[in-house]
Amino acid sequence: LWVASVGVLSDLGDKAPWPHLGALRDRYYITHVRKVVTLCNASRRASTPISDVALQLLCDAELPADVTASPQLEAARREVQDELKQARNQKPIFASEGRWLHVPTHSRCQIHPLIAQQWAQRIPKYIALASNDRYLPEAVAFSIRTRTDADLPAFLRSLPFADAHPHTFGHGHPQASGGQLPAPVMQQFLQALHIEP
């Protein structure tokens, strides 16, 4: 039950319309399960991902506390939190036309989706793009989040360079998309959004 809840809470939060949440709260401390979610997410966001460690712990643990005691996962969580703290101080660059904002980040951790989500919630009238030029060795990774009625994948696929990058650009769902692009193409992308470097 609690292992299944890790996926549910990670994707939908602890108010998810999942019929087993009541039983979960009756049998386990929900704060422990929330911490397992945080640790498992950190294991794949860390600069050296250790999702295999998280998976093994989930397979072997009898209780959520068995996972939260892992020093490896805790180290990954601290690294991601430190990188997030720096990135959250970065001010967004607003497009000269339209409702786009860009937050450039520079981290070996996968923090750009969290930064995009933060700004989409903070300024919901704008579409938030967070890029990360250190996460991948030969490309700029980026995430886009919005609370508007935009269809992000449809818009991204309409851009002139989209066909040249069918596997790494313009997937997701209407309010969340992203991908990775070579640095020169990323500059073209930002220019198309009327965002200055």
PDB file of all heavy atoms in Angstrom, residues 57-83:
ATOM      1  N   LEU A  57      15.646  -0.022  -2.319  1.00  0.00           N
ATOM      2  CA  LEU A  57      15.095   0.246  -0.989  1.00  0.00           C
ATOM      3  C   LEU A  57      13.584   0.040  -0.976  1.00  0.00           C
ATOM      4  O   LEU A  57      13.031  -0.524  -0.027  1.00  0.00           O
ATOM      5  CB  LEU A  57      15.444   1.668  -0.551  1.00  0.00           C
ATOM      6  CG  LEU A  57      16.878   1.869  -0.073  1.00  0.00           C
ATOM      7  CD1 LEU A  57      17.219   3.353  -0.006  1.00  0.00           C
ATOM      8  CD2 LEU A  57      17.084   1.228   1.288  1.00  0.00           C
ATOM      9  N   LEU A  58      12.901   0.501  -2.026  1.00  0.00           N
ATOM     10  CA  LEU A  58      11.453   0.306  -2.086  1.00  0.00           C
ATOM     11  C   LEU A  58      11.093  -1.177  -2.136  1.00  0.00           C
ATOM     12  O   LEU A  58      10.097  -1.599  -1.550  1.00  0.00           O
ATOM     13  CB  LEU A  58      10.876   1.024  -3.308  1.00  0.00           C
ATOM     14  CG  LEU A  58      10.823   2.548  -3.243  1.00  0.00           C
ATOM     15  CD1 LEU A  58      10.380   3.121  -4.586  1.00  0.00           C
ATOM     16  CD2 LEU A  58       9.896   3.024  -2.132  1.00  0.00           C
ATOM     17  N   CYS A  59      11.914  -1.950  -2.822  1.00  0.00           N
ATOM     18  CA  CYS A  59      11.649  -3.388  -2.919  1.00  0.00           C
ATOM     19  C   CYS A  59      11.901  -4.110  -1.593  1.00  0.00           C
ATOM     20  O   CYS A  59      11.199  -5.072  -1.258  1.00  0.00           O
ATOM     21  CB  CYS A  59      12.522  -4.012  -4.012  1.00  0.00           C
ATOM     22  SG  CYS A  59      12.052  -3.535  -5.687  1.00  0.00           S
ATOM     23  N   ASP A  60      12.894  -3.662  -0.859  1.00  0.00           N
ATOM     24  CA  ASP A  60      13.312  -4.366   0.355  1.00  0.00           C
ATOM     25  C   ASP A  60      12.636  -3.866   1.632  1.00  0.00           C
ATOM     26  O   ASP A  60      12.516  -4.617   2.606  1.00  0.00           O
ATOM     27  CB  ASP A  60      14.829  -4.252   0.540  1.00  0.00           C
ATOM     28  CG  ASP A  60      15.603  -4.953  -0.572  1.00  0.00           C
ATOM     29  OD1 ASP A  60      15.006  -5.777  -1.282  1.00  0.00           O
ATOM     30  OD2 ASP A  60      16.803  -4.647  -0.724  1.00  0.00           O
ATOM     31  N   ALA A  61      12.224  -2.606   1.651  1.00  0.00           N
ATOM     32  CA  ALA A  61      11.751  -1.998   2.901  1.00  0.00           C
ATOM     33  C   ALA A  61      10.397  -2.542   3.325  1.00  0.00           C
ATOM     34  O   ALA A  61       9.525  -2.809   2.490  1.00  0.00           O
ATOM     35  CB  ALA A  61      11.667  -0.479   2.733  1.00  0.00           C
ATOM     36  N   GLU A  62      10.230  -2.690   4.621  1.00  0.00           N
ATOM     37  CA  GLU A  62       8.932  -3.074   5.161  1.00  0.00           C
ATOM     38  C   GLU A  62       8.109  -1.846   5.528  1.00  0.00           C
ATOM     39  O   GLU A  62       6.883  -1.885   5.479  1.00  0.00           O
ATOM     40  CB  GLU A  62       9.118  -3.966   6.392  1.00  0.00           C
ATOM     41  CG  GLU A  62       9.720  -5.333   6.062  1.00  0.00           C
ATOM     42  CD  GLU A  62       9.745  -6.251   7.274  1.00  0.00           C
ATOM     43  OE1 GLU A  62       9.011  -5.972   8.247  1.00  0.00           O
ATOM     44  OE2 GLU A  62      10.487  -7.246   7.229  1.00  0.00           O
ATOM     45  N   LEU A  63       8.800  -0.772   5.895  1.00  0.00           N
ATOM     46  CA  LEU A  63       8.121   0.443   6.333  1.00  0.00           C
ATOM     47  C   LEU A  63       8.741   1.649   5.637  1.00  0.00           C
ATOM     48  O   LEU A  63       9.915   1.622   5.249  1.00  0.00           O
ATOM     49  CB  LEU A  63       8.260   0.613   7.845  1.00  0.00           C
ATOM     50  CG  LEU A  63       7.603  -0.451   8.725  1.00  0.00           C
ATOM     51  CD1 LEU A  63       8.050  -0.277  10.172  1.00  0.00           C
ATOM     52  CD2 LEU A  63       6.088  -0.363   8.612  1.00  0.00           C
ATOM     53  N   PRO A  64       7.986   2.742   5.492  1.00  0.00           N
ATOM     54  CA  PRO A  64       8.564   3.953   4.898  1.00  0.00           C
ATOM     55  C   PRO A  64       9.818   4.430   5.621  1.00  0.00           C
ATOM     56  O   PRO A  64      10.749   4.940   4.989  1.00  0.00           O
ATOM     57  CB  PRO A  64       7.430   4.984   5.020  1.00  0.00           C
ATOM     58  CG  PRO A  64       6.184   4.176   5.101  1.00  0.00           C
ATOM     59  CD  PRO A  64       6.558   2.908   5.791  1.00  0.00           C
ATOM     60  N   ALA A  65       9.862   4.245   6.928  1.00  0.00           N
ATOM     61  CA  ALA A  65      11.026   4.701   7.700  1.00  0.00           C
ATOM     62  C   ALA A  65      12.304   3.988   7.279  1.00  0.00           C
ATOM     63  O   ALA A  65      13.404   4.532   7.434  1.00  0.00           O
ATOM     64  CB  ALA A  65      10.776   4.501   9.189  1.00  0.00           C
ATOM     65  N   ASP A  66      12.188   2.781   6.718  1.00  0.00           N
ATOM     66  CA  ASP A  66      13.376   2.068   6.244  1.00  0.00           C
ATOM     67  C   ASP A  66      14.021   2.795   5.069  1.00  0.00           C
ATOM     68  O   ASP A  66      15.238   2.732   4.880  1.00  0.00           O
ATOM     69  CB  ASP A  66      13.012   0.647   5.813  1.00  0.00           C
ATOM     70  CG  ASP A  66      12.463  -0.197   6.952  1.00  0.00           C
ATOM     71  OD1 ASP A  66      12.787   0.101   8.118  1.00  0.00           O
ATOM     72  OD2 ASP A  66      11.708  -1.137   6.678  1.00  0.00           O
ATOM     73  N   VAL A  67      13.217   3.482   4.288  1.00  0.00           N
ATOM     74  CA  VAL A  67      13.733   4.245   3.148  1.00  0.00           C
ATOM     75  C   VAL A  67      14.277   5.592   3.616  1.00  0.00           C
ATOM     76  O   VAL A  67      15.346   6.027   3.181  1.00  0.00           O
ATOM     77  CB  VAL A  67      12.640   4.453   2.080  1.00  0.00           C
ATOM     78  CG1 VAL A  67      13.160   5.285   0.913  1.00  0.00           C
ATOM     79  CG2 VAL A  67      12.108   3.112   1.582  1.00  0.00           C
ATOM     80  N   THR A  68      13.569   6.232   4.511  1.00  0.00           N
ATOM     81  CA  THR A  68      13.984   7.573   4.947  1.00  0.00           C
ATOM     82  C   THR A  68      15.293   7.539   5.721  1.00  0.00           C
ATOM     83  O   THR A  68      15.928   8.580   5.899  1.00  0.00           O
ATOM     84  CB  THR A  68      12.895   8.235   5.814  1.00  0.00           C
ATOM     85  OG1 THR A  68      12.669   7.445   6.989  1.00  0.00           O
ATOM     86  CG2 THR A  68      11.599   8.388   5.038  1.00  0.00           C
ATOM     87  N   ALA A  69      15.713   6.364   6.173  1.00  0.00           N
ATOM     88  CA  ALA A  69      16.978   6.254   6.919  1.00  0.00           C
ATOM     89  C   ALA A  69      18.192   6.139   6.004  1.00  0.00           C
ATOM     90  O   ALA A  69      19.325   6.077   6.493  1.00  0.00           O
ATOM     91  CB  ALA A  69      16.922   5.045   7.850  1.00  0.00           C
ATOM     92  N   SER A  70      17.998   6.130   4.691  1.00  0.00           N
ATOM     93  CA  SER A  70      19.114   5.918   3.764  1.00  0.00           C
ATOM     94  C   SER A  70      20.023   7.143   3.678  1.00  0.00           C
ATOM     95  O   SER A  70      19.584   8.218   3.252  1.00  0.00           O
ATOM     96  CB  SER A  70      18.579   5.610   2.365  1.00  0.00           C
ATOM     97  OG  SER A  70      19.607   5.713   1.407  1.00  0.00           O
ATOM     98  N   PRO A  71      21.309   7.014   4.029  1.00  0.00           N
ATOM     99  CA  PRO A  71      22.224   8.159   3.905  1.00  0.00           C
ATOM    100  C   PRO A  71      22.477   8.542   2.455  1.00  0.00           C
ATOM    101  O   PRO A  71      22.688   9.721   2.158  1.00  0.00           O
ATOM    102  CB  PRO A  71      23.500   7.676   4.595  1.00  0.00           C
ATOM    103  CG  PRO A  71      23.404   6.195   4.651  1.00  0.00           C
ATOM    104  CD  PRO A  71      21.962   5.842   4.652  1.00  0.00           C
ATOM    105  N   GLN A  72      22.433   7.577   1.528  1.00  0.00           N
ATOM    106  CA  GLN A  72      22.658   7.905   0.112  1.00  0.00           C
ATOM    107  C   GLN A  72      21.539   8.776  -0.436  1.00  0.00           C
ATOM    108  O   GLN A  72      21.780   9.768  -1.128  1.00  0.00           O
ATOM    109  CB  GLN A  72      22.761   6.622  -0.725  1.00  0.00           C
ATOM    110  CG  GLN A  72      24.053   5.860  -0.537  1.00  0.00           C
ATOM    111  CD  GLN A  72      24.026   4.572  -1.341  1.00  0.00           C
ATOM    112  OE1 GLN A  72      23.414   3.594  -0.931  1.00  0.00           O
ATOM    113  NE2 GLN A  72      24.685   4.588  -2.479  1.00  0.00           N
ATOM    114  N   LEU A  73      20.300   8.409  -0.126  1.00  0.00           N
ATOM    115  CA  LEU A  73      19.175   9.204  -0.606  1.00  0.00           C
ATOM    116  C   LEU A  73      19.141  10.568   0.070  1.00  0.00           C
ATOM    117  O   LEU A  73      18.798  11.570  -0.565  1.00  0.00           O
ATOM    118  CB  LEU A  73      17.853   8.464  -0.379  1.00  0.00           C
ATOM    119  CG  LEU A  73      17.643   7.165  -1.153  1.00  0.00           C
ATOM    120  CD1 LEU A  73      16.226   6.644  -0.944  1.00  0.00           C
ATOM    121  CD2 LEU A  73      17.940   7.334  -2.622  1.00  0.00           C
ATOM    122  N   GLU A  74      19.516  10.607   1.318  1.00  0.00           N
ATOM    123  CA  GLU A  74      19.546  11.895   2.024  1.00  0.00           C
ATOM    124  C   GLU A  74      20.600  12.818   1.416  1.00  0.00           C
ATOM    125  O   GLU A  74      20.377  14.026   1.280  1.00  0.00           O
ATOM    126  CB  GLU A  74      19.809  11.662   3.508  1.00  0.00           C
ATOM    127  CG  GLU A  74      19.829  12.938   4.342  1.00  0.00           C
ATOM    128  CD  GLU A  74      18.530  13.726   4.280  1.00  0.00           C
ATOM    129  OE1 GLU A  74      17.455  13.124   4.130  1.00  0.00           O
ATOM    130  OE2 GLU A  74      18.597  14.971   4.384  1.00  0.00           O
ATOM    131  N   ALA A  75      21.741  12.278   1.030  1.00  0.00           N
ATOM    132  CA  ALA A  75      22.786  13.091   0.385  1.00  0.00           C
ATOM    133  C   ALA A  75      22.288  13.634  -0.955  1.00  0.00           C
ATOM    134  O   ALA A  75      22.543  14.794  -1.301  1.00  0.00           O
ATOM    135  CB  ALA A  75      24.055  12.269   0.196  1.00  0.00           C
ATOM    136  N   ALA A  76      21.571  12.801  -1.714  1.00  0.00           N
ATOM    137  CA  ALA A  76      21.008  13.263  -2.983  1.00  0.00           C
ATOM    138  C   ALA A  76      19.995  14.374  -2.743  1.00  0.00           C
ATOM    139  O   ALA A  76      19.967  15.379  -3.473  1.00  0.00           O
ATOM    140  CB  ALA A  76      20.351  12.098  -3.718  1.00  0.00           C
ATOM    141  N   ARG A  77      19.166  14.214  -1.718  1.00  0.00           N
ATOM    142  CA  ARG A  77      18.172  15.247  -1.399  1.00  0.00           C
ATOM    143  C   ARG A  77      18.840  16.569  -1.056  1.00  0.00           C
ATOM    144  O   ARG A  77      18.421  17.637  -1.508  1.00  0.00           O
ATOM    145  CB  ARG A  77      17.278  14.792  -0.235  1.00  0.00           C
ATOM    146  CG  ARG A  77      16.141  15.770   0.076  1.00  0.00           C
ATOM    147  CD  ARG A  77      15.531  15.489   1.433  1.00  0.00           C
ATOM    148  NE  ARG A  77      16.456  15.803   2.507  1.00  0.00           N
ATOM    149  CZ  ARG A  77      16.691  17.035   2.977  1.00  0.00           C
ATOM    150  NH1 ARG A  77      16.079  18.090   2.464  1.00  0.00           N
ATOM    151  NH2 ARG A  77      17.536  17.221   3.974  1.00  0.00           N
ATOM    152  N   ARG A  78      19.904  16.518  -0.258  1.00  0.00           N
ATOM    153  CA  ARG A  78      20.610  17.751   0.119  1.00  0.00           C
ATOM    154  C   ARG A  78      21.219  18.429  -1.093  1.00  0.00           C
ATOM    155  O   ARG A  78      21.162  19.658  -1.223  1.00  0.00           O
ATOM    156  CB  ARG A  78      21.692  17.442   1.160  1.00  0.00           C
ATOM    157  CG  ARG A  78      21.166  17.283   2.569  1.00  0.00           C
ATOM    158  CD  ARG A  78      22.283  17.376   3.604  1.00  0.00           C
ATOM    159  NE  ARG A  78      23.381  16.474   3.306  1.00  0.00           N
ATOM    160  CZ  ARG A  78      23.470  15.214   3.740  1.00  0.00           C
ATOM    161  NH1 ARG A  78      22.508  14.716   4.492  1.00  0.00           N
ATOM    162  NH2 ARG A  78      24.498  14.459   3.429  1.00  0.00           N
ATOM    163  N   GLU A  79      21.811  17.624  -1.994  1.00  0.00           N
ATOM    164  CA  GLU A  79      22.416  18.209  -3.193  1.00  0.00           C
ATOM    165  C   GLU A  79      21.359  18.917  -4.038  1.00  0.00           C
ATOM    166  O   GLU A  79      21.554  20.064  -4.479  1.00  0.00           O
ATOM    167  CB  GLU A  79      23.096  17.130  -4.037  1.00  0.00           C
ATOM    168  CG  GLU A  79      23.722  17.704  -5.307  1.00  0.00           C
ATOM    169  CD  GLU A  79      24.176  16.656  -6.289  1.00  0.00           C
ATOM    170  OE1 GLU A  79      23.532  15.601  -6.387  1.00  0.00           O
ATOM    171  OE2 GLU A  79      25.172  16.905  -6.985  1.00  0.00           O
ATOM    172  N   VAL A  80      20.234  18.265  -4.256  1.00  0.00           N
ATOM    173  CA  VAL A  80      19.171  18.862  -5.073  1.00  0.00           C
ATOM    174  C   VAL A  80      18.618  20.111  -4.394  1.00  0.00           C
ATOM    175  O   VAL A  80      18.382  21.134  -5.052  1.00  0.00           O
ATOM    176  CB  VAL A  80      18.062  17.827  -5.341  1.00  0.00           C
ATOM    177  CG1 VAL A  80      16.860  18.481  -6.006  1.00  0.00           C
ATOM    178  CG2 VAL A  80      18.596  16.694  -6.220  1.00  0.00           C
ATOM    179  N   GLN A  81      18.433  20.060  -3.093  1.00  0.00           N
ATOM    180  CA  GLN A  81      17.922  21.227  -2.375  1.00  0.00           C
ATOM    181  C   GLN A  81      18.884  22.404  -2.462  1.00  0.00           C
ATOM    182  O   GLN A  81      18.463  23.558  -2.630  1.00  0.00           O
ATOM    183  CB  GLN A  81      17.654  20.873  -0.901  1.00  0.00           C
ATOM    184  CG  GLN A  81      16.436  20.011  -0.697  1.00  0.00           C
ATOM    185  CD  GLN A  81      15.160  20.669  -1.163  1.00  0.00           C
ATOM    186  OE1 GLN A  81      14.924  21.842  -0.925  1.00  0.00           O
ATOM    187  NE2 GLN A  81      14.330  19.913  -1.863  1.00  0.00           N
ATOM    188  N   ASP A  82      20.181  22.144  -2.345  1.00  0.00           N
ATOM    189  CA  ASP A  82      21.175  23.216  -2.455  1.00  0.00           C
ATOM    190  C   ASP A  82      21.141  23.856  -3.838  1.00  0.00           C
ATOM    191  O   ASP A  82      21.217  25.085  -3.983  1.00  0.00           O
ATOM    192  CB  ASP A  82      22.582  22.684  -2.168  1.00  0.00           C
ATOM    193  CG  ASP A  82      22.799  22.341  -0.704  1.00  0.00           C
ATOM    194  OD1 ASP A  82      21.961  22.759   0.134  1.00  0.00           O
ATOM    195  OD2 ASP A  82      23.779  21.642  -0.392  1.00  0.00           O
ATOM    196  N   GLU A  83      21.027  23.023  -4.888  1.00  0.00           N
ATOM    197  CA  GLU A  83      20.967  23.548  -6.249  1.00  0.00           C
ATOM    198  C   GLU A  83      19.673  24.337  -6.475  1.00  0.00           C
ATOM    199  O   GLU A  83      19.681  25.378  -7.134  1.00  0.00           O
ATOM    200  CB  GLU A  83      21.076  22.405  -7.257  1.00  0.00           C
ATOM    201  CG  GLU A  83      22.425  21.710  -7.257  1.00  0.00           C
ATOM    202  CD  GLU A  83      23.530  22.592  -7.813  1.00  0.00           C
ATOM    203  OE1 GLU A  83      23.411  23.055  -8.958  1.00  0.00           O
ATOM    204  OE2 GLU A  83      24.516  22.811  -7.092  1.00  0.00           O
TER     205      GLU A  83
END
